[in-house]
Short mmCIF file of all heavy atoms in Angstrom, two decimals:
data_model
loop_
_atom_site.label_atom_id
_atom_site.label_comp_id
_atom_site.label_asym_id
_atom_site.label_seq_id
_atom_site.Cartn_x
_atom_site.Cartn_y
_atom_site.Cartn_z
N THR X 1 96.64 103.34 98.51
CA THR X 1 96.06 102.02 98.36
C THR X 1 95.44 101.59 99.68
O THR X 1 96.12 101.59 100.72
CB THR X 1 97.10 100.98 97.94
OG1 THR X 1 97.70 101.38 96.70
CG2 THR X 1 96.46 99.61 97.75
N ILE X 2 94.16 101.22 99.62
CA ILE X 2 93.50 100.70 100.81
C ILE X 2 93.53 99.18 100.76
O ILE X 2 93.36 98.59 99.69
CB ILE X 2 92.05 101.23 100.92
CG1 ILE X 2 91.43 100.83 102.27
CG2 ILE X 2 91.20 100.77 99.75
CD1 ILE X 2 90.10 101.52 102.55
N SER X 3 93.78 98.57 101.90
CA SER X 3 93.80 97.12 101.98
C SER X 3 93.33 96.69 103.36
O SER X 3 93.15 97.53 104.24
CB SER X 3 95.21 96.57 101.68
OG SER X 3 96.12 97.04 102.65
N ARG X 4 93.16 95.41 103.53
CA ARG X 4 92.72 94.94 104.83
C ARG X 4 93.25 93.55 105.11
O ARG X 4 93.61 92.81 104.19
CB ARG X 4 91.19 94.93 104.92
CG ARG X 4 90.54 93.98 103.93
CD ARG X 4 89.03 94.10 103.95
NE ARG X 4 88.45 93.16 103.00
CZ ARG X 4 87.15 93.03 102.78
NH1 ARG X 4 86.28 93.79 103.44
NH2 ARG X 4 86.70 92.16 101.91
N ASP X 5 93.33 93.22 106.38
CA ASP X 5 93.69 91.89 106.83
C ASP X 5 92.55 91.45 107.74
O ASP X 5 92.50 91.83 108.91
CB ASP X 5 95.03 91.92 107.58
CG ASP X 5 95.52 90.53 107.95
OD1 ASP X 5 94.66 89.64 108.18
OD2 ASP X 5 96.73 90.34 108.05
N ILE X 6 91.65 90.67 107.18
CA ILE X 6 90.45 90.29 107.93
C ILE X 6 90.81 89.46 109.15
O ILE X 6 90.21 89.61 110.21
CB ILE X 6 89.46 89.56 107.00
CG1 ILE X 6 88.90 90.54 105.98
CG2 ILE X 6 88.35 88.90 107.81
CD1 ILE X 6 87.99 89.92 104.95
N ALA X 7 91.78 88.57 109.02
CA ALA X 7 92.17 87.71 110.13
C ALA X 7 92.71 88.53 111.30
O ALA X 7 92.52 88.16 112.47
CB ALA X 7 93.20 86.70 109.68
N GLU X 8 93.37 89.66 110.98
CA GLU X 8 93.94 90.51 112.02
C GLU X 8 93.01 91.65 112.40
O GLU X 8 93.35 92.45 113.26
CB GLU X 8 95.28 91.09 111.53
CG GLU X 8 96.38 90.05 111.36
CD GLU X 8 96.83 89.47 112.68
OE1 GLU X 8 96.89 90.23 113.68
OE2 GLU X 8 97.13 88.26 112.73
N ASN X 9 91.84 91.73 111.75
CA ASN X 9 90.88 92.81 112.03
C ASN X 9 91.51 94.19 111.81
O ASN X 9 91.36 95.10 112.64
CB ASN X 9 90.34 92.72 113.46
CG ASN X 9 89.67 91.41 113.75
OD1 ASN X 9 89.00 90.86 112.90
ND2 ASN X 9 89.85 90.90 114.95
N LYS X 10 92.20 94.34 110.68
CA LYS X 10 92.88 95.60 110.39
C LYS X 10 92.59 96.08 108.97
O LYS X 10 92.41 95.29 108.06
CB LYS X 10 94.39 95.45 110.59
CG LYS X 10 94.81 95.26 112.03
CD LYS X 10 96.32 95.18 112.15
CE LYS X 10 96.75 95.04 113.60
NZ LYS X 10 98.22 94.94 113.74
N VAL X 11 92.57 97.37 108.84
CA VAL X 11 92.50 98.03 107.54
C VAL X 11 93.69 98.98 107.44
O VAL X 11 94.07 99.59 108.44
CB VAL X 11 91.18 98.80 107.37
CG1 VAL X 11 91.19 99.65 106.12
CG2 VAL X 11 90.01 97.85 107.31
N PHE X 12 94.25 99.07 106.25
CA PHE X 12 95.46 99.86 106.04
C PHE X 12 95.23 100.90 104.94
O PHE X 12 94.38 100.73 104.07
CB PHE X 12 96.62 98.96 105.64
CG PHE X 12 96.87 97.82 106.58
CD1 PHE X 12 96.37 96.56 106.29
CD2 PHE X 12 97.59 98.01 107.75
CE1 PHE X 12 96.60 95.49 107.16
CE2 PHE X 12 97.82 96.96 108.62
CZ PHE X 12 97.32 95.70 108.33
N LEU X 13 96.04 101.93 105.01
CA LEU X 13 96.08 102.91 103.93
C LEU X 13 97.55 103.20 103.64
O LEU X 13 98.23 103.83 104.45
CB LEU X 13 95.35 104.20 104.29
CG LEU X 13 95.26 105.22 103.16
CD1 LEU X 13 94.35 104.71 102.03
CD2 LEU X 13 94.76 106.57 103.67
N GLN X 14 98.01 102.69 102.51
CA GLN X 14 99.37 102.97 102.06
C GLN X 14 99.34 104.26 101.26
O GLN X 14 98.62 104.36 100.27
CB GLN X 14 99.90 101.83 101.20
CG GLN X 14 101.28 102.07 100.63
CD GLN X 14 102.36 102.12 101.70
OE1 GLN X 14 102.37 101.30 102.62
NE2 GLN X 14 103.28 103.06 101.58
N MET X 15 100.12 105.23 101.69
CA MET X 15 100.13 106.54 101.04
C MET X 15 101.52 106.81 100.50
O MET X 15 102.49 106.86 101.26
CB MET X 15 99.72 107.63 102.04
CG MET X 15 98.37 107.38 102.69
SD MET X 15 97.80 108.77 103.68
CE MET X 15 99.04 108.77 104.99
N ASN X 16 101.60 106.96 99.20
CA ASN X 16 102.87 107.25 98.54
C ASN X 16 102.81 108.62 97.87
O ASN X 16 101.73 109.18 97.66
CB ASN X 16 103.17 106.19 97.48
CG ASN X 16 103.30 104.79 98.07
OD1 ASN X 16 103.78 104.62 99.20
ND2 ASN X 16 102.87 103.79 97.32
N SER X 17 103.97 109.13 97.51
CA SER X 17 104.05 110.42 96.81
C SER X 17 103.25 111.49 97.54
O SER X 17 102.46 112.22 96.93
CB SER X 17 103.57 110.28 95.37
OG SER X 17 104.31 109.30 94.67
N LEU X 18 103.45 111.57 98.82
CA LEU X 18 102.65 112.49 99.64
C LEU X 18 102.95 113.94 99.28
O LEU X 18 104.08 114.31 98.93
CB LEU X 18 102.91 112.23 101.11
CG LEU X 18 102.18 110.99 101.66
CD1 LEU X 18 102.80 110.53 102.96
CD2 LEU X 18 100.70 111.29 101.84
N LYS X 19 101.90 114.76 99.37
CA LYS X 19 101.97 116.17 99.06
C LYS X 19 101.58 116.98 100.28
O LYS X 19 100.85 116.48 101.15
CB LYS X 19 101.00 116.49 97.91
CG LYS X 19 101.18 115.65 96.67
CD LYS X 19 100.08 115.95 95.65
CE LYS X 19 100.21 115.08 94.42
NZ LYS X 19 99.14 115.36 93.43
N PRO X 20 101.99 118.23 100.35
CA PRO X 20 101.59 119.07 101.49
C PRO X 20 100.07 119.13 101.67
O PRO X 20 99.59 119.19 102.81
CB PRO X 20 102.17 120.43 101.13
CG PRO X 20 103.38 120.12 100.31
CD PRO X 20 102.98 118.92 99.50
N GLU X 21 99.33 119.07 100.57
CA GLU X 21 97.87 119.13 100.69
C GLU X 21 97.25 117.85 101.24
O GLU X 21 96.04 117.80 101.48
CB GLU X 21 97.23 119.45 99.33
CG GLU X 21 97.69 118.59 98.19
CD GLU X 21 98.81 119.26 97.38
OE1 GLU X 21 99.74 119.83 98.00
OE2 GLU X 21 98.76 119.17 96.14
N ASP X 22 98.07 116.83 101.45
CA ASP X 22 97.58 115.62 102.12
C ASP X 22 97.59 115.77 103.65
O ASP X 22 97.11 114.88 104.36
CB ASP X 22 98.43 114.41 101.74
CG ASP X 22 98.32 114.05 100.28
OD1 ASP X 22 97.18 114.07 99.75
OD2 ASP X 22 99.35 113.75 99.65
N THR X 23 98.14 116.87 104.13
CA THR X 23 98.17 117.12 105.56
C THR X 23 96.75 117.16 106.12
O THR X 23 95.91 117.93 105.64
CB THR X 23 98.89 118.44 105.86
OG1 THR X 23 100.27 118.31 105.48
CG2 THR X 23 98.82 118.79 107.34
N ALA X 24 96.51 116.34 107.13
CA ALA X 24 95.16 116.23 107.70
C ALA X 24 95.19 115.25 108.86
O ALA X 24 96.18 114.54 109.06
CB ALA X 24 94.17 115.74 106.65
#
């Protein structure tokens, strides 16, 4: 899930159920 906090000037990426192929 991508999200952002404009007031804090931040963007986030919540990553769940990670797999070995997500390695990067």
Side-chain angles (χ1 to χ4, degrees):
T1 301
I2 188 170
S3 62
R4 63 186 181 180
D5 186 330
I6 291 176
E8 293 292 323
N9 302 323
K10 291 182 177 179
V11 171
F12 306 99
L13 185 68
Q14 177 67 43
M15 304 188 294
N16 299 326
S17 303
L18 283 162
K19 306 174 182 180
E21 51 264 44
D22 294 318
T23 295

